[in-house]
Amino acid sequence: MGFERHEYRKQPDFGTPEVVSDTQVTLQIDGRAVSVPAGTTVMRAAALAGGSIPKLCATDNLKQFGSCRLCLVEVDGMRGTPASCTTLVAPGMNVHTQTPRLQKLRRGVMELYISDHPLDCLTCSANNDCELQDQAAAVGLRDVRYGYEGANHLGEATDTSNPYFDFDPSKCIACSRCVRACDEVQGTFALTIEGRGFESKVSAGLASDTYFSSECVSCGACVQACPTATLQEKAVKEIGKPERAVVTTCAYCGVGCTFRAEMRGEQVVRMVPWKDGKANRGHSCVKGRFAWGYAQHEERMLKPMIRSSIDQPWQEVSWEQALGHAASEITRIKAKYGANALGGITSSRCTNEETFLVQKLVRAGFGTNNVDTCARVCHSPTGYGLKTTFGTSAGTQDFDSVMDSDVILVIGANPTDGHPVFASRMKRRLRPNNGKPGAKLIVIDPRRTDLVRSPHVVADHHLPLRPGTNVAVLTAMAHVIVTEGLADEAFVRERCDWDEYQHWAEFVALERNSPEFLAPVTGVDAPTVREAARLFATGGNGAIYYGLGVTEHSQGSSTVMAIANLAMATGNIGRRGVGVNPLRGQNNVQGACDMGSFPHELSGYRHVSDPDARALFEADWGVPIDPEPGLRIPNMLDAATDGVFKAIYIQGEDILQSDPDTKHVAAGLAAMECVIVHDLFLNETANYAHIFLPGSTFLEKNGTFTNAERRIQPVRKVMEPLNGYEDWQVTQLLAQAIGLDWNYTHPREIMDEIARLTPSFSGVNYARLDADGSLQWPVNAAAPDGSPIMHIDGFVRGKGKFVVTDYVPTDERTGPRFPLLLTTGRILSQYNVGAQTRRTANVVWHEEDLLEIHPTDAENRGIKSGDWVRLASRSGETTLRATVTDRVAPGVVYTTFHHPATQANVVTTDFSDWATNCPEYKVTAVQITPSNGPSDWQEGYEALSQRSRRIAGSAMEAAE
Amino acid sequence: MSGDSTANLVRMVNQIARNVTHEADPVATVADHVAAFWSGRMRAQIATWLDQHGGEGLDPVALAALQRLQQGADAG
Ligand code: SF4
Ligand code: SF4
Ligand code: SF4
Ligand code: FES
């Protein structure tokens, strides 16, 4: 099977991209009849028939270019020798790929290339993995008549500035594949090719730039495209050529790119994006492609540890001791305080199977519904909002759908940084292509994100709203659509509840919801709102993409429903090119939600009060399930400070750093008697832990992740867990220690249980995942092959529901003491709280969190770029360095939260979404003042971290 | 036991009430929401608050919803 370990071979390259057509064309290639879709090139047709025409400038990830002239063929009735990569098939065509004439021509071409290429093949790091070498062999090159002395690129210095790959121009054959990959696939336009013919030379940015100083975002597309050793991963130089490859799924973000983990022994040589991956289609970003070094980082914990109180140093113990101690604490606390004093937190980074087991442990083992997930802090409003309006808690489209969109509306998301591989796909659609105009773009975001203006992409409308006014802006857009008669009433009548629509339409039509009336609140000019609304309603297929800038607000759920209203009112649901698409943060946010991680829901979004759902689980697990919802994370912490919540098992999450109001989280954790942290590193939460269970990385386990398109994809083990156990095994051991009779031998059995208990997963199993590569839920009798697009003939809930979403300002207001609004976000090279990315060479791109401030606000305060500033809110204060930029509007400041030293969440408040308690990260009233350096809290915290990370008998302690 | 966190619950239920004013029956909507998403302890805490403080600090819709829930609980 294609996914299992096999001998190392590159993925086949058909030379030019796949073409889809209803018409098949039959032709003859070297005497064999071949049938391919109309529009296919002769090169691809030959490759599909099992042949291979020599080529250098063509590769199937890129549009054909026709520059190297190596792929010449002869066609009966056609004059000359056309290039097969640019010649399209025609019915009855008769093609010859190997004739004496072609052989001679190809050798001549090859000779020219080789005369300008160093002949150190034996010691070259690409030896045996080089297309130039292969093609020289294929054309039968035996000698080179030209001298090697002429003008050439030999002897040029290698650019080693990128931490992950080198650029050695002496080996470049000027095929321009790298340049085209950067333009077409990635959309960054960082590379240029200067000069013509043998003078031509690839360069990143200006001549004076290195790769590092250029616009390059280190996605790796050019490295993958390069047929020679010119652009190559440093790891290949260090380790050697891979010997086997295993297909697996990236563990960073919700795009869910699939990769071939190319291995030598137990060592990863490189992660190469898998061309058959339906989420990424052969593309990647710097995180998944290169930033996996954390898996072997020296700070990774490999031994279980315990301590009696958090001011003691850690003691390393055996697994038996650690699990035995955990079990006895859980049993003791349950006996003394009752089951509801216990709880667990599942991880949106772990697999579906691991998540399912943690919530099963809590519900069936601890005997409580106190289970929650960190998806709470990002996308719980998506679940609530889409379930209410459409009937299911998930995005409606697959990623491919964007290629059929005519108008793309991006709100509260920064895909080029947060979801880079999908952003590249979106940008492809935004650029004109083959005479088809690019899609129109509307960006609603307080900040001028890269998407608003980047090479060859300019937003048609940018609505720079005040943080916290999403609902007002969306309602104003709805006002325009309804009052100007632009709604798709035929769609609404057929698909939605008409009375509810009318109630909603009357509401949005009120004068107080007009763009003019709301402009002072939102800060967006009324004409811009009107034009954006008209464009969205009338521009053809309209698709909405949104992110945490929508959900992490006190009206997060309302905003999601306002988005759903807009999509329904304009008829943009139920086909390709349209839809409502949440861009999920962490890799398995969707899966964590699907797997029953919320305290009120069993897997598949069935409320715990539903007796039928409960009966199913009770029969399978042999225990009663509490019909009452359990506690959410903030409520667990409240209950802990109230003295009634005592023990928690936290798998793979760092709530101290990722949850709002750090001090409140710290107080809650400190009030518990038993905090069990199961993670790769001694994270910030572990400062308050009594038991530490070491975790395993995605490279060390089997399982599945579910991405933002509801796509369930296999995660495959490529090496043995350094800590000894996969995470699901650790959870099982803990379950056994508290007396549960669990005997899973492989995650496939856990998936079988999930399928048995969850209607939308009933058709999912590992054999099918291996056969199909991935499946998009629901996969059941009604949709045996999964569901790329949802709500095609009707909404899951029946009729689509319009919900009136009135703008209710957040309680977090600016005033004289805190006159600015802080909003937070992320950047490309770092991920979430940075636990992984900070432990890779990615730190070269982001050494610290910076505060973006508008020039006017900076000047008023005497602040320059690079100055330390104090960032204070009602909750707390921290310090960081400022960068002065007009990307943010006056009155708004922005920062990321990737570094623990910044502690941006010391500043955020505990306000949250009304429906789900998703924290309001995106709006905090703050004041900025010049400062000299780290705050007392930061220094005190640093000291506490040092102290609480001591391990008895280790060098770390000796050094104290 | 009713610790400090009851103040948070008051804030939460008021916030829910403010966001559902346009529903056909806002009181029922708030009541259903609390029943569906709040744990038993949270509901017990707010019930104690009602007993001890009456409607103090509560939005009228939130208050009506909580009273309705309590009647339901007493009846059932
Ligand atoms: S790594 Fe990506 S962004 Fe950088 S030059 Fe190559 S293709 Fe362009
Ligand atoms: S660097 Fe590689 S891909 Fe780019 S032009 Fe040179 S040989 Fe071709
Ligand atoms: S981080 Fe996201 S976009 Fe980047 S490779 Fe991984 S899944 Fe793909
Ligand atoms: S492969 Fe066709 S011209 Fe280069």
Side-chain angles (χ1 to χ4, degrees), chain A residues 308-348:
Chain A
S308 51
S309 75
I310 61 170
D311 48 21
Q312 301 288 310
W314 285 103
Q315 303 284 337
E316 286 183 354
V317 295
S318 68
W319 278 102
E320 292 69 35
Q321 279 172 291
L323 292 162
H325 180 59
S328 78
E329 281 293 279
I330 290 167
T331 318
R332 175 184 71 78
I333 289 168
K334 187 171 174 178
K336 185 162 169 199
Y337 302 99
N340 287 332
L342 306 172
I345 297 180
T346 72
S347 171
S348 41

Short mmCIF file of all heavy atoms in Angstrom, two decimals, chain A residues 308-348:
data_model
loop_
_atom_site.label_atom_id
_atom_site.label_comp_id
_atom_site.label_asym_id
_atom_site.label_seq_id
_atom_site.Cartn_x
_atom_site.Cartn_y
_atom_site.Cartn_z
N SER A 308 5.35 16.08 46.00
CA SER A 308 4.21 16.19 46.91
C SER A 308 3.63 17.58 46.91
O SER A 308 2.44 17.76 47.14
CB SER A 308 4.63 15.78 48.32
OG SER A 308 5.78 16.50 48.67
N SER A 309 4.44 18.59 46.65
CA SER A 309 3.86 19.91 46.53
C SER A 309 4.68 20.70 45.52
O SER A 309 5.82 20.34 45.21
CB SER A 309 3.84 20.63 47.88
OG SER A 309 5.14 21.05 48.18
N ILE A 310 4.09 21.79 45.01
CA ILE A 310 4.71 22.44 43.86
C ILE A 310 5.94 23.25 44.22
O ILE A 310 6.62 23.75 43.33
CB ILE A 310 3.69 23.29 43.08
CG1 ILE A 310 3.11 24.41 43.94
CG2 ILE A 310 2.58 22.42 42.51
CD1 ILE A 310 2.30 25.41 43.13
N ASP A 311 6.23 23.41 45.52
CA ASP A 311 7.49 24.08 45.83
C ASP A 311 8.65 23.09 45.97
O ASP A 311 9.79 23.47 46.19
CB ASP A 311 7.36 24.98 47.07
CG ASP A 311 6.67 24.25 48.21
OD1 ASP A 311 6.67 23.00 48.19
OD2 ASP A 311 6.10 24.93 49.09
N GLN A 312 8.34 21.79 45.84
CA GLN A 312 9.39 20.77 45.89
C GLN A 312 10.00 20.57 44.50
O GLN A 312 9.33 20.80 43.51
CB GLN A 312 8.77 19.42 46.30
CG GLN A 312 8.09 19.43 47.65
CD GLN A 312 9.10 19.52 48.77
OE1 GLN A 312 10.05 18.77 48.80
NE2 GLN A 312 8.91 20.49 49.66
N PRO A 313 11.24 20.09 44.46
CA PRO A 313 11.76 19.68 43.15
C PRO A 313 11.06 18.40 42.69
O PRO A 313 10.54 17.63 43.51
CB PRO A 313 13.25 19.44 43.39
CG PRO A 313 13.42 19.34 44.86
CD PRO A 313 12.24 19.96 45.53
N TRP A 314 11.08 18.16 41.38
CA TRP A 314 10.50 16.95 40.83
C TRP A 314 11.37 15.74 41.17
O TRP A 314 12.59 15.85 41.23
CB TRP A 314 10.42 17.05 39.31
CG TRP A 314 9.33 17.95 38.78
CD1 TRP A 314 9.47 19.20 38.28
CD2 TRP A 314 7.95 17.63 38.70
NE1 TRP A 314 8.26 19.70 37.88
CE2 TRP A 314 7.30 18.75 38.13
CE3 TRP A 314 7.16 16.52 39.06
CZ2 TRP A 314 5.93 18.80 37.91
CZ3 TRP A 314 5.80 16.56 38.83
CH2 TRP A 314 5.19 17.68 38.27
N GLN A 315 10.72 14.56 41.34
CA GLN A 315 11.43 13.29 41.50
C GLN A 315 11.12 12.42 40.29
O GLN A 315 9.96 12.17 40.01
CB GLN A 315 10.92 12.52 42.74
CG GLN A 315 10.99 13.27 44.05
CD GLN A 315 12.40 13.32 44.58
OE1 GLN A 315 13.22 12.47 44.23
NE2 GLN A 315 12.70 14.31 45.40
N GLU A 316 12.15 11.96 39.61
CA GLU A 316 11.90 11.03 38.52
C GLU A 316 11.53 9.68 39.09
O GLU A 316 12.16 9.21 40.04
CB GLU A 316 13.15 10.89 37.64
CG GLU A 316 13.37 12.11 36.78
CD GLU A 316 14.55 11.98 35.84
OE1 GLU A 316 15.29 10.97 35.95
OE2 GLU A 316 14.73 12.88 35.02
N VAL A 317 10.47 9.07 38.54
CA VAL A 317 10.03 7.76 39.03
C VAL A 317 9.71 6.85 37.84
O VAL A 317 9.71 7.31 36.70
CB VAL A 317 8.76 7.89 39.92
CG1 VAL A 317 9.06 8.66 41.20
CG2 VAL A 317 7.62 8.56 39.16
N SER A 318 9.41 5.60 38.12
CA SER A 318 9.04 4.69 37.04
C SER A 318 7.59 4.98 36.62
O SER A 318 6.84 5.64 37.34
CB SER A 318 9.13 3.24 37.53
OG SER A 318 8.12 3.03 38.49
N TRP A 319 7.21 4.45 35.46
CA TRP A 319 5.82 4.60 35.04
C TRP A 319 4.88 4.01 36.08
O TRP A 319 3.84 4.60 36.38
CB TRP A 319 5.61 3.91 33.68
CG TRP A 319 6.03 4.76 32.51
CD1 TRP A 319 7.18 4.64 31.78
CD2 TRP A 319 5.29 5.85 31.94
NE1 TRP A 319 7.20 5.61 30.80
CE2 TRP A 319 6.05 6.36 30.85
CE3 TRP A 319 4.06 6.46 32.23
CZ2 TRP A 319 5.63 7.43 30.07
CZ3 TRP A 319 3.64 7.52 31.44
CH2 TRP A 319 4.41 8.00 30.39
N GLU A 320 5.23 2.84 36.61
CA GLU A 320 4.34 2.18 37.59
C GLU A 320 4.12 3.10 38.79
O GLU A 320 2.99 3.29 39.24
CB GLU A 320 4.94 0.86 38.09
CG GLU A 320 5.01 -0.25 37.06
CD GLU A 320 6.03 0.02 35.95
OE1 GLU A 320 7.09 0.62 36.24
OE2 GLU A 320 5.75 -0.34 34.80
N GLN A 321 5.22 3.69 39.28
CA GLN A 321 5.07 4.56 40.46
C GLN A 321 4.22 5.77 40.14
O GLN A 321 3.34 6.16 40.91
CB GLN A 321 6.46 5.03 40.92
CG GLN A 321 7.19 4.00 41.76
CD GLN A 321 8.63 4.46 41.99
OE1 GLN A 321 9.44 4.49 41.05
NE2 GLN A 321 8.93 4.83 43.22
N ALA A 322 4.51 6.40 38.98
CA ALA A 322 3.77 7.61 38.64
C ALA A 322 2.28 7.31 38.48
O ALA A 322 1.43 8.03 39.02
CB ALA A 322 4.33 8.21 37.35
N LEU A 323 1.97 6.24 37.76
CA LEU A 323 0.56 5.92 37.51
C LEU A 323 -0.12 5.45 38.78
O LEU A 323 -1.28 5.79 39.05
CB LEU A 323 0.46 4.87 36.40
CG LEU A 323 0.89 5.38 35.02
CD1 LEU A 323 1.20 4.23 34.08
CD2 LEU A 323 -0.19 6.30 34.43
N GLY A 324 0.63 4.68 39.59
CA GLY A 324 0.07 4.21 40.85
C GLY A 324 -0.27 5.40 41.76
O GLY A 324 -1.33 5.47 42.37
N HIS A 325 0.66 6.35 41.80
CA HIS A 325 0.43 7.54 42.62
C HIS A 325 -0.77 8.34 42.10
O HIS A 325 -1.64 8.77 42.88
CB HIS A 325 1.71 8.40 42.61
CG HIS A 325 1.61 9.65 43.41
ND1 HIS A 325 1.34 9.65 44.76
CD2 HIS A 325 1.76 10.95 43.05
CE1 HIS A 325 1.30 10.90 45.19
NE2 HIS A 325 1.55 11.71 44.18
N ALA A 326 -0.82 8.51 40.78
CA ALA A 326 -1.95 9.24 40.20
C ALA A 326 -3.26 8.56 40.55
O ALA A 326 -4.23 9.20 40.97
CB ALA A 326 -1.79 9.33 38.68
N ALA A 327 -3.29 7.23 40.40
CA ALA A 327 -4.53 6.49 40.67
C ALA A 327 -4.93 6.63 42.13
O ALA A 327 -6.11 6.83 42.45
CB ALA A 327 -4.37 5.03 40.29
N SER A 328 -3.95 6.56 43.03
CA SER A 328 -4.33 6.62 44.44
C SER A 328 -4.83 8.02 44.80
O SER A 328 -5.77 8.18 45.58
CB SER A 328 -3.20 6.15 45.36
OG SER A 328 -2.25 7.18 45.50
N GLU A 329 -4.24 9.06 44.18
CA GLU A 329 -4.73 10.42 44.44
C GLU A 329 -6.15 10.60 43.90
O GLU A 329 -7.01 11.16 44.58
CB GLU A 329 -3.80 11.45 43.76
CG GLU A 329 -2.53 11.72 44.52
CD GLU A 329 -2.82 12.43 45.84
OE1 GLU A 329 -3.02 13.66 45.86
OE2 GLU A 329 -2.89 11.70 46.87
N ILE A 330 -6.38 10.10 42.69
CA ILE A 330 -7.72 10.25 42.10
C ILE A 330 -8.75 9.52 42.97
O ILE A 330 -9.82 10.06 43.28
CB ILE A 330 -7.73 9.70 40.65
CG1 ILE A 330 -6.91 10.64 39.76
CG2 ILE A 330 -9.14 9.54 40.11
CD1 ILE A 330 -6.56 10.07 38.39
N THR A 331 -8.40 8.31 43.39
CA THR A 331 -9.33 7.54 44.21
C THR A 331 -9.58 8.23 45.55
O THR A 331 -10.71 8.33 46.02
CB THR A 331 -8.76 6.12 44.45
OG1 THR A 331 -8.21 5.67 43.22
CG2 THR A 331 -9.82 5.16 44.92
N ARG A 332 -8.50 8.74 46.16
CA ARG A 332 -8.63 9.42 47.45
C ARG A 332 -9.54 10.66 47.32
O ARG A 332 -10.47 10.85 48.10
CB ARG A 332 -7.24 9.85 47.94
CG ARG A 332 -7.24 10.66 49.22
CD ARG A 332 -5.84 11.16 49.60
NE ARG A 332 -5.31 12.20 48.71
CZ ARG A 332 -5.66 13.48 48.76
NH1 ARG A 332 -6.54 13.90 49.67
NH2 ARG A 332 -5.15 14.37 47.92
N ILE A 333 -9.25 11.46 46.29
CA ILE A 333 -10.01 12.71 46.15
C ILE A 333 -11.47 12.42 45.83
O ILE A 333 -12.38 13.06 46.35
CB ILE A 333 -9.34 13.60 45.08
CG1 ILE A 333 -8.01 14.13 45.64
CG2 ILE A 333 -10.24 14.76 44.66
CD1 ILE A 333 -7.09 14.79 44.64
N LYS A 334 -11.70 11.39 45.01
CA LYS A 334 -13.08 11.05 44.67
C LYS A 334 -13.83 10.60 45.92
O LYS A 334 -14.99 10.99 46.14
CB LYS A 334 -13.08 9.94 43.62
CG LYS A 334 -14.47 9.62 43.08
CD LYS A 334 -14.37 8.68 41.89
CE LYS A 334 -15.74 8.24 41.43
NZ LYS A 334 -15.67 7.36 40.26
N ALA A 335 -13.17 9.81 46.76
CA ALA A 335 -13.82 9.32 47.98
C ALA A 335 -14.11 10.48 48.93
O ALA A 335 -15.16 10.56 49.56
CB ALA A 335 -12.93 8.29 48.66
N LYS A 336 -13.19 11.42 49.01
CA LYS A 336 -13.33 12.50 49.97
C LYS A 336 -14.29 13.60 49.49
O LYS A 336 -15.11 14.10 50.26
CB LYS A 336 -11.95 13.10 50.25
CG LYS A 336 -11.94 14.17 51.32
CD LYS A 336 -10.52 14.39 51.85
CE LYS A 336 -10.46 15.64 52.72
NZ LYS A 336 -9.10 16.14 52.88
N TYR A 337 -14.16 14.01 48.20
CA TYR A 337 -14.93 15.17 47.73
C TYR A 337 -16.01 14.82 46.72
O TYR A 337 -16.78 15.69 46.30
CB TYR A 337 -14.00 16.20 47.09
CG TYR A 337 -12.89 16.71 47.98
CD1 TYR A 337 -11.61 16.19 47.87
CD2 TYR A 337 -13.11 17.74 48.91
CE1 TYR A 337 -10.58 16.66 48.66
CE2 TYR A 337 -12.09 18.21 49.71
CZ TYR A 337 -10.81 17.67 49.58
OH TYR A 337 -9.80 18.15 50.37
N GLY A 338 -16.02 13.60 46.23
CA GLY A 338 -17.02 13.24 45.21
C GLY A 338 -16.46 13.36 43.80
O GLY A 338 -15.45 14.02 43.57
N ALA A 339 -17.15 12.70 42.87
CA ALA A 339 -16.66 12.64 41.48
C ALA A 339 -16.57 14.02 40.84
O ALA A 339 -15.70 14.26 40.01
CB ALA A 339 -17.58 11.74 40.65
N ASN A 340 -17.46 14.93 41.25
CA ASN A 340 -17.44 16.23 40.59
C ASN A 340 -16.28 17.11 41.01
O ASN A 340 -16.13 18.24 40.53
CB ASN A 340 -18.78 16.94 40.79
CG ASN A 340 -19.86 16.29 39.94
OD1 ASN A 340 -19.56 15.71 38.89
ND2 ASN A 340 -21.10 16.36 40.40
N ALA A 341 -15.44 16.62 41.90
CA ALA A 341 -14.21 17.34 42.24
C ALA A 341 -13.09 16.98 41.26
O ALA A 341 -11.97 17.47 41.38
CB ALA A 341 -13.78 17.03 43.67
N LEU A 342 -13.41 16.08 40.30
CA LEU A 342 -12.40 15.64 39.34
C LEU A 342 -12.75 16.16 37.95
O LEU A 342 -13.91 16.46 37.67
CB LEU A 342 -12.38 14.11 39.27
CG LEU A 342 -12.19 13.32 40.56
CD1 LEU A 342 -12.41 11.84 40.28
CD2 LEU A 342 -10.80 13.54 41.12
N GLY A 343 -11.73 16.23 37.10
CA GLY A 343 -12.01 16.64 35.73
C GLY A 343 -10.82 16.40 34.84
O GLY A 343 -9.76 15.96 35.28
N GLY A 344 -11.02 16.65 33.54
CA GLY A 344 -9.94 16.44 32.58
C GLY A 344 -10.03 17.43 31.44
O GLY A 344 -11.09 17.99 31.17
N ILE A 345 -8.89 17.65 30.79
CA ILE A 345 -8.86 18.53 29.63
C ILE A 345 -8.22 17.77 28.48
O ILE A 345 -7.10 17.25 28.60
CB ILE A 345 -8.08 19.83 29.93
CG1 ILE A 345 -8.82 20.61 31.03
CG2 ILE A 345 -7.95 20.67 28.67
CD1 ILE A 345 -8.14 21.90 31.40
N THR A 346 -8.95 17.69 27.37
CA THR A 346 -8.42 17.01 26.19
C THR A 346 -7.68 18.02 25.34
O THR A 346 -7.83 19.22 25.50
CB THR A 346 -9.53 16.38 25.34
OG1 THR A 346 -10.25 17.45 24.69
CG2 THR A 346 -10.49 15.57 26.18
N SER A 347 -6.90 17.49 24.43
CA SER A 347 -6.04 18.37 23.66
C SER A 347 -6.48 18.45 22.22
O SER A 347 -6.84 17.45 21.61
CB SER A 347 -4.63 17.81 23.71
OG SER A 347 -3.81 18.51 22.82
N SER A 348 -6.42 19.66 21.67
CA SER A 348 -6.70 19.79 20.24
C SER A 348 -5.43 19.56 19.43
O SER A 348 -5.40 19.80 18.24
CB SER A 348 -7.32 21.15 19.94
OG SER A 348 -6.70 22.16 20.68
#
